[in-house]
């Protein structure tokens, strides 16, 4: 079964683009929640992300992974791929 990957983004955010690129390189499909100017969606993201307000915020199977630096760190440590199977 494929993992459920969700990413909250702003369209022009370079960190969002970078995080989505990593997922695309790995062939992972994801649900993108573009929250540009949507205060309600931003609030929902923040609640799910334990108060974090920056984008991107990434969730794998409803587990909060963090932002761009966090997903790249997991990848560098070899801990991302096991979450994606």
């Amino acid at each position: 079964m494929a993992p459920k990957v969700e990413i909250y983004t702003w369209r022009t955010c370079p960190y969002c683009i970078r995080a989505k690129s990593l997922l695309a390189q790995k062939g992972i499909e994801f649900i993108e929640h573009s929250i540009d100017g949507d205060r309600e969606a931003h609030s929902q993201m923040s609640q799910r992300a334990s108060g974090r307000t920056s984008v991107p915020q990434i969730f794998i199977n409803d587990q909060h992974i963090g932002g761009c630096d966090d997903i790249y760190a997991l990848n560098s440590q070899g801990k991302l791929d096991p979450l994606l199977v």
Side-chain angles (χ1 to χ4, degrees):
M1 185 169 101
K4 178 183 176 187
V5 179
E6 297 175 86
I7 181 168
Y8 287 83
T9 65
W10 288 338
R11 285 181 296 236
T12 58
C13 166
Y15 298 104
C16 300
I17 294 166
R18 190 168 176 246
K20 292 188 299 184
S21 176
L22 176 61
L23 292 169
Q25 287 172 13
K26 293 186 168 290
I28 300 300
E29 292 185 23
F30 54 87
I31 300 164
E32 181 174 3
H33 303 283
S34 181
I35 62 171
D36 296 71
D38 186 339
R39 290 183 186 196
E40 188 174 320
H42 191 267
S43 177
Q44 177 190 18
M45 176 203 75
S46 181
Q47 288 176 358
R48 287 186 72 195
S50 302
R52 291 177 85 177
T53 58
S54 61
V55 288
Q57 291 301 319
I58 303 158
F59 297 82
I60 300 175
N61 294 325
D62 293 318
Q63 176 186 347
H64 182 232
I65 300 304
C68 182
D69 291 343
D70 300 310
I71 197 168
Y72 270 87
L74 285 173
N75 190 52
S76 294
Q77 298 165 4
K79 296 179 181 177
L80 180 59
D81 288 342
L83 297 174
L84 297 173
V85 290

